[in-house]
Amino acid sequence: MGMAAAVATLAGLLAGCWDQYPLAQRASALVLYVSSAPKNQMSWTFYFPNPTVTTGSLANISGSQQFFKLTTTASSLLQAEDDIETKMARRMYMGQLETIIFSSRVSTDQMAAVIEGYNRVGNWPKDAYVLAEKPNPQPLPILPEQPVPDVYFASYFRCKSCNPADLSQPAWRVWDDLETPGVSPVLPYGTNPLNPNRLMVYRQFGRAYAMSRRQTLGWSQLMNRTSRLTISLKSPQGDYAAHNVKVRTKERIQMIHGRLQVAVRVRVVGNLAEWPESVDVTPATEALPSYDPRACPAGTPVTPVG
């Protein structure tokens, strides 16, 4: 009899029915926001789609009603999950998590502990996008024109052709960087919450810091993450412009006489869209003039050419 009971229990576990709960007893978290708290604690805010948003009520709701959120203070992600489940008297489902947002005040060690703890849970999605933001009471942008719950950052990073550089960092890649000696993980970051177009560097030794926009573009080019840059160049003959520019790089790293040397070959290809009237452009390759950073207006996205 004991053997039969053991077999029945094992069969139930293998069938996957042990973690199934009615919809009324479960809430699916779509976004997690993590910030620092006193006494070596962390503040955890989970965003859930509003269950009152139904087909019949779409015309009567505002953008702020797309989600509801619950916050707790805890020392670990699993403890935070338990606290939130107690608060809302529901089991929390993390299998649909789309975005993890870190406050820029979170240290490298704190960020690493969260990502490593998240990665250890096998059924949590490893392709959730991870990013950093300035401390913000409303870290998740809510667009009024999107009545159906939609995670802004997930849509932002999924559109690979919407931005000149692909800065998306899924959780598995951040974890991989954390586990690779000599590699400092980077997360998308922006002072404008709607446009995370810079990078936050989490050094393995030292404080995290934010790259400038120009440094971020350089990183994206070296990492083959550019898709449609626009280049503006000035020369004595006039102005040049190229669009849909793609950058591809190859690196060669070698140790020579005890010194590490890195050689980078950069190939830039794009469409010439503007050139001086005095220049006769033919189907043959037209060489752009050498890049002079002093001749370009501040803030102009520029790639060195020539």
Side-chain angles (χ1 to χ4, degrees), residues 12-53:
L13 292 175
L14 294 177
C17 300
W18 58 276
D19 65 344
Q20 300 301 309
Y21 295 91
L23 183 61
Q25 298 178 14
R26 167 171 286 188
S28 296
L30 297 183
V31 178
L32 169 62
Y33 176 64
V34 185
S35 58
S36 55
K39 299 181 180 179
N40 295 321
Q41 298 283 295
M42 305 288 288
S43 176
W44 312 80
T45 301
F46 296 85
Y47 285 79
F48 305 88
N50 193 334
T52 63
V53 179

Side-chain angles (χ1 to χ4, degrees), residues 281-295:
V281 177
T282 67
T285 302
E286 175 68 23
L288 294 179
S290 298
Y291 161 60
D292 182 2
R294 296 169 298 179

Side-chain angles (χ1 to χ4, degrees), residues 4 51 62 80 84 87 93 115 122 127 142 173 182 191 196 212 227 232 235 250 260 269 274-275 278 288 300:
S62 66
I84 293 297
K87 282 187 176 183
Y93 180 61
I115 293 298
D127 57 352
I142 306 295
R173 184 182 291 148
T191 53
S212 68
S227 57
S232 300
S235 74
K250 290 185 178 180
L260 190 66
V269 179
E274 180 182 340
W275 58 89
S278 59
L288 294 179
T300 303

Side-chain angles (χ1 to χ4, degrees), residues 145-163:
E145 62 271 19
Q146 294 287 344
V148 178
D150 179 70
V151 178
Y152 172 81
F153 291 119
S155 300
Y156 181 93
F157 290 122
R158 286 193 190 112
C159 185
K160 304 301 183 183
S161 62
C162 296
N163 299 285

Side-chain angles (χ1 to χ4, degrees), residues 48-297:
F48 305 88
N50 193 334
T52 63
V53 179
T54 63
T55 304
S57 66
L58 289 180
N60 301 320
I61 66 171
S62 66
S64 61
Q65 293 175 293
Q66 294 179 41
F67 299 91
F68 72 93
K69 63 181 181 180
L70 291 173
T71 301
T72 189
T73 300
S75 58
S76 69
L77 176 54
L78 291 178
Q79 181 186 344
E81 180 188 25
D82 290 342
D83 292 348
I84 293 297
E85 288 182 339
T86 301
K87 282 187 176 183
M88 63 181 175
R90 289 184 179 185
R91 292 302 302 266
M92 185 160 62
Y93 180 61
M94 297 282 284
Q96 292 180 317
L97 195 77
E98 297 186 7
T99 304
I100 302 172
I101 306 173
F102 286 96
S103 165
S104 57
R105 293 179 181 173
V106 170
S107 68
T108 300
D109 290 343
Q110 290 173 321
M111 185 274 291
V114 174
I115 293 298
E116 289 172 359
Y118 179 86
N119 188 71
R120 281 195 292 267
V121 183
N123 60 348
W124 290 358
K126 304 305 181 283
D127 57 352
Y129 294 109
V130 187
L131 67 147
E133 266 193 22
K134 294 179 65 175
N136 188 348
Q138 297 293 338
L140 179 63
I142 306 295
L143 303 183
E145 62 271 19
Q146 294 287 344
V148 178
D150 179 70
V151 178
Y152 172 81
F153 291 119
S155 300
Y156 181 93
F157 290 122
R158 286 193 190 112
C159 185
K160 304 301 183 183
S161 62
C162 296
N163 299 285
D166 176 17
L167 303 182
S168 62
Q169 291 290 86
W172 66 264
R173 184 182 291 148
V174 179
W175 176 82
D176 186 65
D177 289 343
L178 286 167
E179 297 299 315
T180 304
V183 175
S184 296
V186 297
L187 298 183
Y189 168 76
T191 53
N192 178 358
L194 293 177
N195 189 18
N197 59 2
R198 296 167 60 189
L199 288 173
M200 182 72 71
V201 182
Y202 290 85
R203 294 182 290 181
Q204 293 188 352
F205 303 99
R207 299 182 61 182
Y209 69 92
M211 285 187 182
S212 68
R213 178 60 178 151
R214 184 177 292 263
Q215 290 171 330
T216 300
L217 283 175
W219 178 91
S220 67
Q221 293 159 21
L222 290 175
M223 299 299 291
N224 291 319
R225 294 284 203 96
T226 58
S227 57
R228 54 174 194 85
L229 287 175
T230 297
I231 297 176
S232 300
L233 296 174
K234 292 183 178 294
S235 74
Q237 294 81 19
D239 297 343
Y240 288 81
H243 69 102
N244 289 335
V245 175
K246 294 180 175 58
V247 181
R248 293 295 177 263
T249 62
K250 290 185 178 180
E251 303 86 17
R252 185 178 62 185
I253 304 175
Q254 54 185 345
M255 188 73 70
I256 300 179
H257 303 303
R259 300 182 62 183
L260 190 66
Q261 294 190 2
V262 181
V264 181
R265 183 175 181 180
V266 181
R267 176 178 172 83
V268 182
V269 179
N271 299 323
L272 191 61
E274 180 182 340
W275 58 89
E277 294 182 359
S278 59
V279 176
D280 184 20
V281 177
T282 67
T285 302
E286 175 68 23
L288 294 179
S290 298
Y291 161 60
D292 182 2
R294 296 169 298 179
C296 300

